[in-house]
């Protein structure tokens, strides 16, 4: 079993435990810390929010920086249905390429209102998550940190 598949199995186990209402911060036996994370947009209505699990484990280093195997299972919500706004859950991180070194993956939407996103990012660092308000007229705005 690879490190990546062990990490995915631990993430799934903790997701099940949290879904059942069991408070879990680590899984025994080579524990990978997993956190229940959440956050709200900075829109004054505070209708848009995200919550779920995020975790990582240090795996080594590349070009003088530590690398981490990171993953998440996160959902985006909009509590004010019908107000013309939605939510957008976004991620940004740095990834290593043997051809070009470290590069920044800019803000990318991983879930919209009512959706859940799950991923294993592989070897990354400086992972950031945010939840934003969204309208077709304004696009993405009023982003708040998910931590």
């Amino acid at each position: 079993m690879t490190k990546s598949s062990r990490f995915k199995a631990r993430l799934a186990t903790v997701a099940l435990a949290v879904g059942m209402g069991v408070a879990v911060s680590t899984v025994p036996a080579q524990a990978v810390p997993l956190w229940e994370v959440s956050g709200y947009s900075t829109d004054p209505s505070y209708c848009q929010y995200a919550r779920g699990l995020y975790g990582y484990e240090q795996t080594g280093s590349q070009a003088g920086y530590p690398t981490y195997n990171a993953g998440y299972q996160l959902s985006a919500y909009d509590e004010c249905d019908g107000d013309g706004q939605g939510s957008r859950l976004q991620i940004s991180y740095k990834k290593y390429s043997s051809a070009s070194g470290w590069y920044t993956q800019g803000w990318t939407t991983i879930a919209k209102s009512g959706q859940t996103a799950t991923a294993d990012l592989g070897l990354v660092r400086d992972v950031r998550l945010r939840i934003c308000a969204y309208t077709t007229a304004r696009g993405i705005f009023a982003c708040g940190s998910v931590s």
Side-chain angles (χ1 to χ4, degrees):
M1 186 180 263
T2 66
K3 269 191 170 185
S4 178
S5 59
R6 283 195 312 269
F7 180 78
K8 288 178 187 176
R10 290 184 196 122
L11 188 60
T13 300
V14 171
L16 176 63
V18 170
M20 294 171 38
V22 178
V24 177
S25 61
T26 60
V27 179
Q30 296 183 2
V32 173
L34 293 170
W35 297 271
E36 199 167 342
V37 295
S38 62
Y40 282 87
S41 72
T42 59
D43 185 63
S45 66
Y46 292 102
C47 294
Q48 299 79 25
Y49 71 97
R51 66 177 292 189
L53 299 170
Y54 170 75
Y56 66 89
E57 64 182 339
Q58 187 171 354
T59 57
S61 64
Q62 287 287 347
Y65 292 95
T67 56
Y68 301 88
N69 185 27
Y72 58 83
Q73 181 174 13
L74 299 163
S75 299
Y77 301 94
D78 183 2
E79 292 183 332
C80 302
D81 290 336
D83 69 352
Q85 292 187 172
S87 64
R88 296 294 185 267
L89 177 58
Q90 296 191 313
I91 190 168
S92 176
Y93 52 87
K94 292 185 179 171
K95 192 157 183 85
Y96 186 78
S97 163
S98 58
S100 59
W102 286 101
Y103 68 93
T104 299
Q105 171 63 47
W107 289 110
T108 303
T109 298
I110 57 174
K112 299 176 183 178
S113 304
Q115 295 179 336
T116 298
T118 303
D120 178 0
L121 298 173
L123 299 178
V124 296
R125 66 182 177 95
D126 300 338
V127 176
R128 296 180 296 156
L129 298 161
R130 70 183 186 180
I131 185 72
C132 307
Y134 173 83
T135 65
T136 53
R138 291 181 67 185
I140 293 171
F141 65 100
C143 299
S145 177
V146 175
S147 57

